Amino acid sequence: NYLVAWEDFKLPAADADIRAARVTTGGTVTQLGVVAATTAAETKPKLGVRGTAAMLVYEQAGAVRGSVYNGTTFGATFAIAAAGTTPAVAANPAGDYLVAFADTTDVKGQRVSSAGALVGAAFPVSAAAGVQSEPTVTFGGSNFVVAFTSASNIFGTRVSTAGVVLDTRTENAVVVGGI
């Protein structure tokens, strides 16, 4: 079975909302309805799936928000970052989620528990000179892997399940994430 989420611009809504559905391998669609709907636009949904559970992250009015799916329904939405764009999320099969997002000129990470609670504070994945943006994240067996753009280059770094950036480089005498 599959879980899908999308931006919905149906009338009478003036702004996009996030909707979701389950789809069986036979093509049967079960609508889960609206996951996030406010007077602000909810955009750029991404899902991190672990078995039958998942976390949805999305952008709302320059902030990053999320909702946890328990296998049947989505829970209440919650704030992940007060300022952030282009969120991405991955699930550790043994526990938490990692949300990566662009914050002004940097890429940051925020760990979130399987219950939807923030774990620690947001941390810089890369705070190099210039603009780091467009993060994506996956789980690679024992660590998360975050990739992002900086100028016209693509960088990546492993991030431990404890939220430690493992791959760094020195740029203008400053140690930053990404190789």
Side-chain angles (χ1 to χ4, degrees):
N1 292 328
Y2 303 94
L3 180 65
V4 295
W6 66 94
E7 295 174 25
D8 185 8
F9 286 92
K10 287 184 179 175
L11 294 176
D15 295 309
D17 296 328
I18 304 293
R19 290 184 174 269
R22 287 189 313 257
V23 182
T24 68
T25 55
T28 302
V29 177
T30 302
Q31 295 291 333
L32 298 173
V34 176
V35 178
T38 67
T39 56
E42 289 83 24
T43 60
K44 301 181 180 117
K46 299 286 188 301
L47 288 164
V49 179
R50 181 181 63 250
T52 59
M55 174 182 238
L56 169 74
V57 297
Y58 58 94
E59 191 176 317
Q60 180 190 54
V64 177
R65 296 191 59 83
S67 178
V68 174
Y69 178 73
N70 66 12
T72 306
T73 60
F74 280 93
T77 64
F78 57 92
I80 295 171
T85 60
T86 60
V89 61
N92 171 354
D96 299 342
Y97 297 93
L98 178 64
V99 178
F101 57 94
D103 179 15
T104 312
T105 61
D106 301 328
V107 169
K108 290 189 176 177
Q110 174 66 60
R111 294 177 19 215
V112 180
S113 76
S114 59
L118 302 185
V119 178
F123 58 92
V125 172
S126 183
V131 175
Q132 284 71 233
S133 62
E134 302 175 58
T136 189
V137 61
T138 191
F139 190 78
S142 57
N143 295 299
F144 293 98
V145 179
V146 179
F148 54 92
T149 61
S150 180
S152 60
N153 299 308
I154 299 172
F155 292 95
T157 185
R158 293 171 301 146
V159 176
S160 75
T161 56
V164 176
V165 176
L166 300 173
D167 304 306
T168 61
R169 68 184 192 287
T170 301
E171 185 177 284
N172 299 325
V174 175
V175 176
V176 298
I179 55 173

